[in-house]
């Protein structure tokens, strides 16, 4: 049996295109959303890493760890070219006892999708731990 001439198939290409286009667009937007989610995670992770490292240089028992971490994340995100971390939950606290004191830093952020029909809003959670640079409180010599 011989295939029908090309002129009889002209409309079938358009129908195939119309049927497959939503699938291709869905795949494209889902890929873009996953890339956006990865970028946001990398930004928040790098910012928290810098802020936690900065907080690790504080003296043991310093009460400004939380504010140092929060401001450090905002400063790092500003250097990365993005806005401050609005809607983020950022915590930082010194833990442990000498000689194993450390700063535990956590951040979480809700990231809405670029295309609302692809994924729901995703919460990114990042945690970092940095050893304190000074393990014992500084006391001035008499």
């Amino acid at each position: 049996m011989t295939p029908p001439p090309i002129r009889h198939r002209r409309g079938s290409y358009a129908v195939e295109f119309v049927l497959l286009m939503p699938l291709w667009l869905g795949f494209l937007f889902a890929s873009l959303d996953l890339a956006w989610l990865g970028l946001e995670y990398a930004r928040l992770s790098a910012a928290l890493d810098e802020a936690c490292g900065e907080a690790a240089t504080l003296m043991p028992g310093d009460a400004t760890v939380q504010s140092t971490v929060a401001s450090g994340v905002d400063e790092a995100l500003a250097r990365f070219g993005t806005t401050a971390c609005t809607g983020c939950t950022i915590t930082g606290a010194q833990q442990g006892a000498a000689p194993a004191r450390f700063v535990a830093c956590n951040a979480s952020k809700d990231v809405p999708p670029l295309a609302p029909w692809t994924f729901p809003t995703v919460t990114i959670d990042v945690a970092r731990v940095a050893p304190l640079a000074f393990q014992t409180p500084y006391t001035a010599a008499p």
Side-chain angles (χ1 to χ4, degrees):
M1 177 175 239
T2 60
I6 298 282
R7 62 179 157 70
H8 295 295
R9 293 197 37 135
R10 274 185 278 173
S12 68
Y13 295 123
V15 170
E16 289 173 7
F17 176 77
V18 167
L19 290 175
L20 291 177
M21 183 52 81
L23 295 173
W24 286 109
L25 287 176
F27 179 74
L28 174 70
F29 285 119
S31 299
L32 289 174
D33 273 344
L34 284 176
W36 177 253
L37 187 63
L39 177 67
E40 287 295 317
Y41 178 83
R43 284 180 181 166
L44 187 59
S45 178
L48 188 65
D49 198 32
E50 283 187 25
C52 200
E54 182 181 334
T57 62
L58 298 173
M59 288 294 187
D62 196 335
T64 62
V65 174
Q66 174 71 30
S67 61
T68 302
V69 172
S71 65
V73 167
D74 286 341
E75 290 171 8
L77 287 175
R79 279 195 306 278
F80 299 154
T82 186
T83 59
C85 197
T86 55
C88 290
T89 304
I90 300 170
T91 60
Q94 293 181 354
Q95 298 176 357
R101 286 191 172 115
F102 59 93
V103 176
C105 305
N106 297 309
S108 64
K109 178 181 182 181
D110 290 336
V111 180
L114 295 174
W117 61 86
T118 55
F119 295 107
T121 298
V122 176
T123 301
I124 297 173
D125 294 317
V126 181
R128 291 288 180 264
V129 174
L132 283 181
F134 306 103
Q135 290 292 324
T136 56
Y138 174 76
T139 54

